[in-house]
Amino acid sequence: MKFFRKGICLFLTVIMALSLAGCGKKELSHEKMNVLVDEFDFEEYDDVEDFIIHLSRFTSFENGYISAEEDDAQELYDIAINRMHQYPSYNIDQATLFFVGEGEMVFGYLLTFEKDKKAEKFYDYYTEDDFEDGKTGEKDGYSYAIDIGEESSSKIALDGAYLQGNKVLILRGLVKDTDFIDDLFKELDLISPTEADQEDK
């Protein structure tokens, strides 16, 4: 009986240790992204075409987002992200896209690729030329590239790319107020694009 109890205690200790180790890892997640943008009172879109129409003129609309899988996710990538074929063609398993309107211009998307290598290639392609003056690195199990710049319109240009496994998160924006961006990335446990001009500690 003692041996049995010790075995159970050891098993529970191992499970707890593994759980605590898992808690420390920051994971890019569609589920978490959906919860966050919903908490920020973003309007949820169910129809891909309707979302794309509103996205094309989002500065005059309320904030919105859509999350889709399989064929709908692929359509979002092909039309909303890669309409001009600036990126290679990839098979997308899941996609979450969001925009901030009402005078601001922020567009972000989280993509799940079919393979880690495809996600890495997209990330490398996206960050190849655009982050020479920004900051790149690795932190808490993900790679990042972030940049910030002042625009003549008194708005701040932000750019961020994040890679973890088969997922890539991209955010681009032109904003007067960076509070939403900082709040979002704090909740996501990711380094914010606004930190690109800060010295590494």
Side-chain angles (χ1 to χ4, degrees):
M1 183 64 78
K2 277 187 180 180
F3 178 79
F4 178 74
R5 285 182 186 151
K6 285 183 180 178
I8 289 294
C9 288
L10 178 61
F11 175 74
L12 292 174
T13 301
V14 170
I15 291 297
M16 185 174 291
L18 289 174
S19 298
L20 290 173
C23 289
K25 185 178 180 182
K26 314 288 194 288
E27 289 196 13
L28 292 175
S29 162
H30 292 272
E31 291 74 21
K32 187 173 184 179
M33 179 69 77
N34 291 341
V35 168
L36 284 176
V37 291
D38 195 50
E39 287 177 354
F40 283 118
D41 293 325
F42 278 43
E43 180 183 352
E44 182 179 8
Y45 289 80
D46 297 318
D47 183 76
V48 170
E49 292 182 5
D50 189 34
F51 177 84
I52 292 172
I53 290 171
H54 283 77
L55 177 63
S56 66
R57 49 190 182 184
F58 63 80
T59 54
S60 59
F61 285 86
E62 295 181 355
N63 307 337
Y65 79 99
I66 188 170
S67 193
E69 299 180 0
E70 300 176 347
D71 290 345
D72 285 342
Q74 189 66 52
E75 185 176 357
L76 284 168
Y77 176 77
D78 292 339
I79 298 177
I81 297 170
N82 201 30
R83 178 188 293 271
M84 305 303 294
H85 304 288
Q86 66 269 44
Y87 308 119
S89 296
Y90 292 109
N91 292 329
I92 305 299
D93 291 338
Q94 192 170 358
T96 299
L97 284 67
F98 65 90
F99 60 80
V100 178
E102 300 178 330
E104 303 283 20
M105 295 180 65
V106 178
F107 178 45
Y109 53 89
L110 175 61
L111 301 175
T112 298
F113 293 76
E114 60 177 349
K115 295 180 180 178
D116 291 10
K117 283 290 185 184
K118 299 294 185 181
E120 184 178 354
K121 285 184 178 180
F122 178 87
Y123 175 83
D124 289 343
Y125 193 93
Y126 183 86
T127 60
E128 185 176 17
D129 300 317
D130 293 342
F131 293 87
E132 293 179 359
D133 299 323
K135 182 190 294 186
T136 60
E138 294 185 5
K139 183 178 180 181
D140 298 327
Y142 66 88
S143 301
Y144 68 88
I146 54 177
D147 199 7
I148 183 172
E150 199 78 32
E151 295 291 318
S152 57
S153 63
S154 77
K155 289 189 176 182
I156 300 170
L158 299 169
D159 203 351
Y162 306 81
L163 168 69
Q164 186 179 65
N166 66 338
K167 295 182 178 67
V168 174
L169 171 65
I170 301 293
L171 180 132
R172 303 196 80 160
L174 191 60
V175 300
K176 288 184 178 180
D177 188 346
T178 63
D179 287 348
F180 162 74
I181 304 296
D182 286 331
D183 290 345
L184 177 66
F185 280 88
K186 181 179 180 180
E187 293 297 325
L188 289 170
D189 291 321
L190 298 172
I191 183 170
S192 171
T194 61
E195 297 181 44
D197 58 353
Q198 298 179 12
E199 295 292 332
D200 292 321
K201 296 181 180 180

